[in-house]
């Protein structure tokens, strides 16, 4: 089972849910920016949730299927076409040999995910198939996909085969799809929930007020490592030296220029800038779907709310998992 | 129960991680505490533990709140953060104050100057020293790896002789060769992968600091004590050949 890259688009990489257990060695986590979308895509084709898929950024990616395939496309709607016809999203799709899948332009969101039944037959480096671009390891030869690349898919398991044959026998494909509305928000102007960061109290009163009252704009200097925001300048009450310490995806740090940076999937393992806020894990998928020029407002919630939102999203994912199983059995 | 570890402060870092703060300044004593706790967490993990990241004065613990949540009784009115915190307090209480971890000693061969260390001359002239004196001072002290970060395998070292402390370059280089040994202020360090950087490069080691196909994937770990020693370009090639 092989897929050929006819055009890599802006940035297409192989990502799973990340490389854990090596941060103490300075090895970054990487992985899908929008983890919920990748998890659902995998479930739709019968993979394990943490199998690697393709992360497609904004537009341009074009793939040729050299065999019949079972895939699922989730994440942002990047106007995916299969042989020129609009592809179904958030559902299993049977793709015939010789078909061409193309992502034209973002309609909603910023990143689409494509899961392939059987996943990718690329080696696990330090327990993960995620591409770590800076170190040149993982994914497809440690780099973003390029024109002409041939990517091998893995062996299909029983679940994959069951959905593969079911999807292959459906004329016109499945009409049902996963309702993602409780999971991810694709709006390009939205409120993101945060808890106060560890150094929040170090900022001056104006800055504390501005963080929760003014909009911030995602700049074009935003990538898998972090989103640089523009808006009111945020300042410390007085300078102090912060020693480098651990950070997470969703840490909002403020460098000396006063413009916030949201740390994302390819963040470094530690950071030395003051942390003004921490975005809820439950809202990180929505952040991953923001495009440059998107507008965000920050809203404060308590730590307990952040935890219960985390669990609430996991319950939604459990329901989605159950729903997919029922649809495939009786749908 | 020990007095210094009970002063540890546990703070939430978002909803899926927390920070155990064990002090406020860079010192071998606080570093030792971080190392002891890291090892204890490693050998006594809790359900949902993902990994810990040591830094100068703190240990960050990453965990999965869902797994933590399902690991306790339903009638317990306790949050994942509280659950993890109580586990860590239990570990902190167990720590013997006098416990000292040995830490490995690693010797790092370095070719100083020339194409291997293009800024050696600058560092020497900045301090009105001969280049030999800079090399002598750089190889004299044992340095401690406080933490690994910034890039995979990049050690944050303490203990360099302050007489060769030199500010960063005004113009950072767009790409620094892996293995390059540099000085930035009072710190010395070794670049592990090709990155841009502004440190004064005084030499290069033939040893690979990041080796993703081996376990562990890095040469140096937090807690290691290292000592630099000078070698010739010919010896550099021999080392390179040997490590192939």
């Amino acid at each position: 089972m092989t897929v050929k890259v006819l055009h890599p688009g802006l940035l297409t990489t192989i990502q799973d849910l990340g490389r854990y257990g090596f941060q103490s060695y300075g090895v970054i986590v990487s992985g899908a920016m929008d983890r919920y979308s990748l998890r659902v895509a995998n479930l739709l084709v019968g993979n394990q949730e943490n199998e690697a898929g393709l992360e497609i950024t904004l537009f341009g990616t074009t793939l040729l299927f050299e065999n019949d395939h079972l895939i699922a496309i989730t994440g942002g709607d990047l106007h995916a076409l299969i042989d020129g016809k609009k592809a179904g999203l958030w559902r299993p799709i049977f793709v015939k040999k010789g078909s061409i899948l193309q992502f034209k332009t973002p309609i909603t969101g910023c990143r689409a995910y494509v899961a392939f039944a059987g996943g990718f037959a690329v080696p696990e480096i330090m327990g993960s198939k995620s591409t770590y671009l800076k170190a040149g390891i993982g994914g497809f030869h440690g780099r973003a996909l390029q024109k002409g690349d041939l990517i091998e898919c893995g062996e299909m398991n029983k679940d994959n085969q069951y959905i593969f044959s079911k999807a292959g026998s459906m004329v016109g494909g499945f009409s049902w799809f996963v309702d993602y509305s409780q999971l991810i928000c694709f709006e390009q102007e939205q409120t993101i929930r945060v808890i106060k960061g560890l150094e929040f109290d170090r900022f001056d009163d104006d800055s504390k007020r501005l963080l929760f009252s003014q909009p911030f704009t995602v700049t074009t200097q935003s990538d898998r490592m972090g989103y640089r925001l523009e808006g009111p300048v945020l300042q410390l009450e007085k300078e102090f030296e912060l020693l480098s310490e651990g950070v997470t995806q969703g840490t909002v740090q403020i460098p000396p220029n006063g413009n916030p940076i949201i740390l994302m999937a390819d963040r470094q393992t530690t950071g030395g800038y003051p942390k003004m806020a921490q975005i809820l894990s439950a809202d990180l998928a929505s952040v991953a779907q923001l495009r440059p020029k998107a507008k965000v407002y920050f809203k404060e919630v308590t730590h307990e709310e952040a935890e219960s939102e985390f669990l609430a999203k996991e319950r939604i994912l459990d329901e989605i998992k159950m729903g997919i199983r029922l649809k495939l059995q009786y749908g | 129960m020990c007095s210094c570890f009970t002063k540890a402060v546990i703070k939430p870092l978002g909803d899926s991680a927390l920070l155990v703060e064990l002090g406020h300044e860079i010192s071998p004593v606080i570093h030792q505490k971080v190392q002891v706790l890291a090892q204890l967490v490693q050998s006594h993990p809790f359900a949902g533990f993902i990994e810990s990241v040591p830094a100068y004065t703190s240990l960050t613990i990453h965990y999965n709140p869902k797994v933590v949540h399902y690991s306790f009784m339903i009638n317990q009115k306790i949050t994942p953060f509280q659950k993890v915190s109580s586990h860590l307090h239990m570990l902190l209480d167990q720590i013997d104050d006098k416990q000292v971890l040995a830490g490995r000693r690693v010797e790092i061969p370095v070719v100083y100057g020339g194409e291997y260390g293009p800024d050696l001359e600058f560092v020497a002239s900045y301090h009105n020293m001969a280049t030999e004196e800079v090399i002598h001072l750089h190889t004299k002290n044992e340095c401690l790896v406080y933490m690994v970060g910034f890039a995979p395998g990049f050690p944050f070292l303490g203990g360099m002789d302050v007489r060769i402390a030199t500010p960063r370059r005004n113009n950072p280089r767009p790409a620094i060769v892996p293995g390059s040994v540099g000085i930035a202020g009072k710190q010395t360090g070794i670049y592990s992968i090709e990155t841009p950087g502004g440190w004064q490069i005084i030499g290069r080691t033939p040893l690979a600091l990041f080796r993703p196909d081996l376990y562990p994937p890095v040469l140096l770990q937090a807690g290691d004590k290292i000592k630099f020693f000078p070698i010739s370009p010919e010896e550099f090639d021999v080392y390179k050949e040997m490590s192939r």
Side-chain angles (χ1 to χ4, degrees):
Chain A
M1 302 283 242
T2 311
V3 184
K4 186 174 181 180
V5 179
L6 298 184
H7 196 294
L10 203 57
L11 175 71
T12 303
T13 55
I14 292 180
Q15 300 291 346
D16 57 19
L17 294 182
R19 185 170 283 112
Y20 286 98
F22 298 88
Q23 285 196 77
S24 60
Y25 303 134
V27 176
I28 65 171
V29 174
S30 317
M33 292 275 279
D34 169 357
R35 300 157 62 89
Y36 293 154
S37 289
L38 177 63
R39 287 167 71 182
V40 174
N42 275 322
L43 292 171
L44 285 166
V45 297
N47 288 346
Q48 295 289 318
E49 277 178 49
N50 61 354
E51 180 53 61
L54 291 184
E55 182 178 275
I56 314 267
T57 316
L58 291 169
F59 59 84
T61 310
T62 310
L63 307 170
L64 168 71
F65 295 90
E66 303 213 321
N67 315 81
D68 291 352
H69 269 274
L70 173 67
I71 65 165
I73 307 168
T74 61
D77 180 353
L78 305 186
H79 197 189
L81 302 176
I82 296 176
D83 295 332
K85 284 199 273 294
K86 206 164 185 331
L89 306 178
W90 296 88
R91 71 193 80 182
I93 315 171
F94 181 83
V95 194
K96 280 211 106 34
K97 178 182 171 175
S99 296
I100 290 174
L101 168 63
Q102 188 180 19
F103 293 86
K104 296 288 276 189
T105 184
I107 296 171
T108 67
C110 184
R111 294 175 170 84
Y113 292 84
V114 189
F116 294 74
F120 291 123
V122 297
E124 282 190 6
I125 308 290
M126 289 177 251
S128 167
K129 294 179 182 174
S130 284
T131 313
Y132 179 177
L133 291 170
K134 272 209 174 138
I137 59 166
F140 191 81
H141 301 296
R143 59 167 172 79
L145 298 189
Q146 291 171 6
K147 188 178 171 172
D149 284 346
L150 292 170
I151 315 164
E152 283 297 320
C153 290
E155 289 282 320
M156 286 205 279
N157 63 26
K158 268 194 168 152
D159 289 346
N160 297 138
Q161 269 159 2
Y162 176 74
I163 310 174
F164 180 87
S165 52
K166 190 128 187 168
S169 63
M170 289 280 288
V171 182
F174 293 108
S175 56
W176 59 268
F177 57 92
V178 167
D179 174 11
Y180 52 80
S181 58
Q182 300 297 308
L183 214 50
I184 309 160
C185 172
F186 291 100
E187 297 296 323
Q188 295 301 304
E189 177 170 340
Q190 58 169 300
T191 300
I192 298 294
R193 296 169 297 174
V194 301
I195 63 174
K196 278 179 189 158
L198 288 179
E199 286 75 50
F200 181 84
D201 289 336
R202 300 272 196 167
F203 286 84
D204 65 25
D205 289 341
D206 273 351
S207 300
K208 289 180 195 167
R209 193 174 42 77
L210 291 167
L211 180 71
F212 296 124
S213 59
Q214 297 297 309
F216 290 83
T217 308
V218 177
T219 68
T220 49
Q221 284 167 297
S222 299
D223 56 19
R224 282 183 44 85
M225 199 170 164
Y227 280 20
R228 288 172 184 270
L229 307 182
E230 238 165 33
V233 169
L234 305 171
Q235 282 169 323
L236 293 167
E237 181 73 52
K238 70 174 200 284
E239 288 297 314
F240 75 106
E241 197 197 357
L242 180 69
L243 296 172
S244 283
E245 59 188 29
V247 292
T248 69
Q249 182 167 2
T251 295
V252 181
Q253 59 180 25
I254 317 291
N257 71 14
N259 291 314
I261 301 174
I262 304 175
L263 300 182
M264 295 300 285
D266 282 353
R267 67 201 174 275
Q268 289 176 9
T269 53
T270 56
Y273 291 133
K275 300 173 282 294
M276 196 171 184
Q278 287 281 149
I279 293 173
L280 268 63
S281 297
D283 286 2
L284 284 175
S286 304
V287 172
Q289 293 297 349
L290 296 172
R291 294 189 294 268
K293 299 206 175 90
K295 219 179 244 185
V296 294
Y297 291 85
F298 292 111
K299 182 189 167 205
E300 192 195 347
V301 300
T302 65
H303 185 258
E304 289 74 31
E305 285 175 88
E307 287 183 313
S308 54
E309 280 303 298
F310 184 105
L311 298 172
K313 290 268 169 114
E314 289 299 322
R315 277 193 293 274
I316 294 169
L317 277 156
D318 286 342
E319 282 163 21
I320 287 173
K321 196 171 182 174
M322 197 75 81
I324 292 170
R325 204 173 293 158
L326 291 172
K327 283 284 181 199
L328 287 170
Q329 232 157 42
Y330 306 109
Chain B
M1 208 185 280
C2 98
S3 56
C4 62
F5 275 100
T6 49
K7 273 188 251 157
V9 181
I10 299 181
K11 300 170 171 178
L13 181 67
D15 50 39
S16 309
L18 57 75
L19 196 97
V20 188
E21 206 177 70
L22 293 161
H24 298 283
E25 76 266 21
I26 300 179
S27 86
V29 176
I30 293 167
H31 165 80
Q32 188 63 226
K33 290 189 201 178
V34 175
Q35 287 302 111
V36 168
L37 181 62
Q39 204 165 78
L40 201 60
V41 175
Q42 198 64 41
S43 54
H44 299 81
F46 53 91
F49 171 71
I50 297 173
E51 60 186 312
S52 72
V53 182
Y56 285 114
T57 58
S58 65
L59 186 71
T60 298
I61 311 276
H62 296 270
Y63 58 90
N64 182 336
K66 184 187 186 183
V67 181
V68 176
H69 176 75
Y70 286 112
S71 72
F72 48 82
M73 309 296 283
I74 286 165
N75 57 3
Q76 270 182 291
K77 285 257 182 296
I78 177 173
T79 67
F81 173 72
Q82 288 166 343
K83 173 82 178 173
V84 176
S85 299
S86 71
H87 180 89
L88 291 169
H89 277 302
M90 182 200 68
L91 292 183
L92 286 162
D93 286 349
Q94 281 175 17
I95 293 176
D96 176 359
D97 208 1
K98 290 169 206 76
Q99 193 179 345
V100 177
L101 296 176
R104 303 179 310 162
R105 197 165 182 281
V106 185
E107 302 212 322
I108 309 283
V110 177
V111 183
Y112 287 94
E115 58 171 298
Y116 299 89
D119 298 328
L120 178 66
E121 298 276 353
F122 174 84
V123 172
S125 65
Y126 185 85
H127 295 286
N128 278 321
M129 283 177 193
T131 53
E132 289 76 18
E133 181 69 4
V134 175
I135 297 169
H136 170 69
L137 292 175
H138 194 255
T139 50
K140 192 168 65 87
N141 292 1
E142 200 173 62
C143 294
L144 175 62
V145 180
Y146 277 96
M147 55 187 277
V148 176
F150 167 66
F154 185 99
F156 286 85
L157 299 169
M160 183 185 77
D161 195 303
V162 291
R163 281 173 287 179
I164 50 171
T166 316
R168 285 160 208 258
R169 288 169 56 86
N170 289 329
N171 298 315
R173 291 190 171 87
I176 293 180
V177 183
S180 293
V181 177
I183 294 176
K186 287 182 216 165
Q187 291 191 85
T188 183
I190 313 168
Y191 282 85
S192 54
I193 59 171
E194 189 180 293
T195 63
W199 293 33
Q200 304 284 355
I201 304 301
I202 59 167
R204 196 190 306 164
T205 177
L207 304 183
L209 272 81
F210 180 52
R211 38 195 202 179
D213 42 345
L214 296 182
Y215 187 87
V218 294
L219 177 69
L220 299 175
Q221 303 176 27
D224 288 348
K225 295 185 180 84
I226 72 165
K227 206 160 185 306
F228 294 104
F229 68 97
I231 56 166
S232 67
E234 291 73 30
E235 288 169 303
F236 182 97
D237 294 338
V238 174
Y239 271 103
K240 272 276 179 206
E241 197 57 45
M242 270 164 35
S243 63
R244 202 159 280 163

